[in-house]
Amino acid sequence: MATGKDLPQDIGSFIRDLRQTAKISLRQLADKAGVSNPYLSQVERGLRKPSAEVLQQLASALRVSTPAMYLRAGLLDGEGAQGVLAAIAVDPELTIAQKQSLTQIYETFRNENARQASEAPGAGTTAAEVSQEGVPDEDEALRDAMQDVAVVEGGAAPAPRPAQTTEPEEKS
Amino acid sequence: MATGKDLPQDIGSFIRDLRQTAKISLRQLADKAGVSNPYLSQVERGLRKPSAEVLQQLASALRVSTPAMYLRAGLLDGEGAQGVLAAIAVDPELTIAQKQSLTQIYETFRNENARQASEAPGAGTTAAEVSQEGVPDEDEALRDAMQDVAVVEGGAAPAPRPAQTTEPEEKS
DNA sequence: GGAGAGCGCTAGCTCTTGCAAGCATTTCGC
DNA sequence: GCGAAATGCTTGCAAGAGCTAGCGCTCTCC
């Protein structure tokens, strides 16, 4: 298991920044997140690598979404279509029809971007301006955090092929 | 740290099911995922609880999205609005304008659902029928997997309040 | 000045995760 | 049938996650 120093992103600094932005002490955050303060200190300084559960608790305490925290820790990547579609699919606040609509719009956007990437590099904002006003303020902080995160290349590997019965298997 | 038996979902069975569906042996999967085969055996039987990194590797080897795997392991929840917005925000295949559009549409849907939930229970499909066709087939398998997963209530806690300088702090 | 509270950190400890070595059983080919 | 290969599992160990007890420092109040 890699040490915290091997994390693709400096999750400790991220957590400390969030904490200081929220103007709470290390102990307060530790208490709220349900972890020990010495341990949180070590995490922030990169001496320890927190598990996903701890990250989840910290995300909750810092009012950051769990995926955002995982993203920063390298436990998730943007995952393109899969991420958005999956999120839409599990959203309990959308009707089935709305899910279909959003999925369709999303696919349309992606198709447009793919087409224009193969054509001229230009503004793809014409169709995107189908809708209207600004983004609610509450999303700005989230966006800033997201923009700050480098997209880590990853994703699902090709499916494992069914084992060939005549193929000798390496002994582990 | 809870043992594998305390997982909200039986991640081990999930992994074994996927593996058997793919018709590969435990060793083949272990090799492909880069974990030891005895350990994988223990994970499948619930004797060990895999870390997020291991889950990520298994997801890749089994050609399952990482979020889906995490969802099954209780490391992510549907997260409602936060999930979809976060996914949109990190999607590398969308332009900023498209992200704004999707976000806005999503918010509109949610507002409509909230409004109609407070009014008469009825068909909220009128506005939702702005768009059209079916969902691409490649998403069906993902949807089935998602539907199979109970949505775990969770999400971000209220933001921690800035520390009051006069407020005594509990010693950890 | 001293006492108390709050801060972040050190050090030693326990428990868990993941591994290597190896075992028992089953399957396959001769 | 036998031997080899494949399969899944047992066992003991090391490294690391996360904890408790406690430290040194700073600040505030008397």
Side-chain angles (χ1 to χ4, degrees):
Chain A
M1 295 245 278
T3 67
K5 293 172 188 167
D6 294 332
L7 286 175
Q9 308 294 334
D10 186 3
I11 185 66
S13 299
F14 182 61
I15 290 166
R16 179 164 285 188
D17 288 347
L18 290 172
R19 173 172 70 79
Q20 290 174 340
T21 298
K23 294 182 167 55
I24 59 173
S25 70
L26 186 142
R27 287 184 196 218
Q28 287 173 324
L29 176 58
D31 285 346
K32 185 174 278 291
V35 301
S36 71
N37 77 75
Y39 179 64
L40 178 58
S41 175
Q42 288 171 327
V43 168
E44 287 191 351
R45 286 173 291 129
L47 300 182
R48 288 279 196 272
K49 180 189 168 211
S51 66
E53 286 81 4
V54 170
L55 287 174
Q56 203 172 17
Q57 290 169 316
L58 286 169
S60 181
L62 288 165
R63 207 173 185 185
V64 171
S65 72
T66 305
M69 184 67 85
Y70 286 173
L71 205 56
R72 191 61 191 244
L75 297 181
L76 275 179
D77 52 57
E79 284 194 356
Q82 199 72 355
V84 172
L85 291 179
I88 291 170
V90 302
D91 192 320
E93 299 195 29
L94 294 176
T95 65
I96 299 291
Q98 289 173 338
K99 288 178 179 178
Q100 288 180 338
S101 297
L102 274 174
T103 298
Q104 195 65 21
I105 293 168
Y106 176 72
E107 296 282 4
T108 302
F109 284 165
R110 282 182 63 224
N111 290 337
E112 284 179 354
N113 292 338
R115 196 188 321 140
Q116 292 185 359
S118 60
E119 296 177 354
T125 57
T126 309
E129 286 171 353
V130 175
S131 298
Q132 38 275 60
E133 292 91 9
V135 181
D137 287 345
E138 68 183 37
D139 288 326
E140 289 294 328
L142 176 61
R143 285 176 184 276
D144 289 340
M146 296 297 105
Q147 300 289 3
D148 189 45
V149 177
V151 177
V152 181
E153 182 65 27
R161 297 178 192 276
Q164 304 294 328
T165 54
T166 58
E167 182 176 326
E169 192 66 26
E170 297 284 271
K171 182 103 174 182
S172 63
Chain B
M1 297 250 279
T3 66
K5 292 171 189 169
D6 294 332
L7 285 174
Q9 308 294 334
D10 186 3
I11 185 66
S13 299
F14 182 61
I15 290 166
R16 179 164 286 189
D17 287 346
L18 289 172
R19 174 172 69 81
Q20 289 173 341
T21 298
K23 292 182 169 55
I24 59 173
S25 72
L26 187 142
R27 288 187 192 219
Q28 287 172 325
L29 176 57
D31 286 344
K32 184 173 280 287
V35 301
S36 71
N37 79 74
Y39 179 64
L40 178 58
S41 174
Q42 289 171 326
V43 167
E44 286 191 349
R45 288 174 289 130
L47 299 182
R48 288 281 196 271
K49 180 191 168 209
S51 66
E53 284 82 5
V54 169
L55 287 174
Q56 202 172 17
Q57 291 168 313
L58 288 169
S60 181
L62 287 167
R63 206 171 185 184
V64 171
S65 72
T66 304
M69 184 69 86
Y70 285 173
L71 205 55
R72 192 60 191 247
L75 297 180
L76 276 178
D77 53 56
E79 285 194 357
Q82 198 71 2
V84 172
L85 291 178
I88 291 170
V90 303
D91 192 320
E93 297 195 29
L94 294 177
T95 66
I96 298 293
Q98 289 172 338
K99 288 177 180 178
Q100 288 180 337
S101 297
L102 274 174
T103 299
Q104 194 66 20
I105 293 168
Y106 176 71
E107 297 281 3
T108 302
F109 283 166
R110 282 181 63 222
N111 290 338
E112 283 178 354
N113 292 338
R115 196 190 319 141
Q116 291 184 1
S118 60
E119 295 176 356
T125 57
T126 307
E129 287 174 350
V130 175
S131 295
Q132 38 275 41
E133 292 92 9
V135 181
D137 288 345
E138 67 182 36
D139 289 327
E140 288 294 325
L142 176 60
R143 287 176 182 278
D144 289 340
M146 295 299 105
Q147 300 288 6
D148 189 46
V149 178
V151 176
V152 181
E153 182 64 26
R161 298 180 192 276
Q164 305 294 329
T165 54
T166 59
E167 179 175 329
E169 191 66 26
E170 295 285 86
K171 183 100 174 185
S172 63

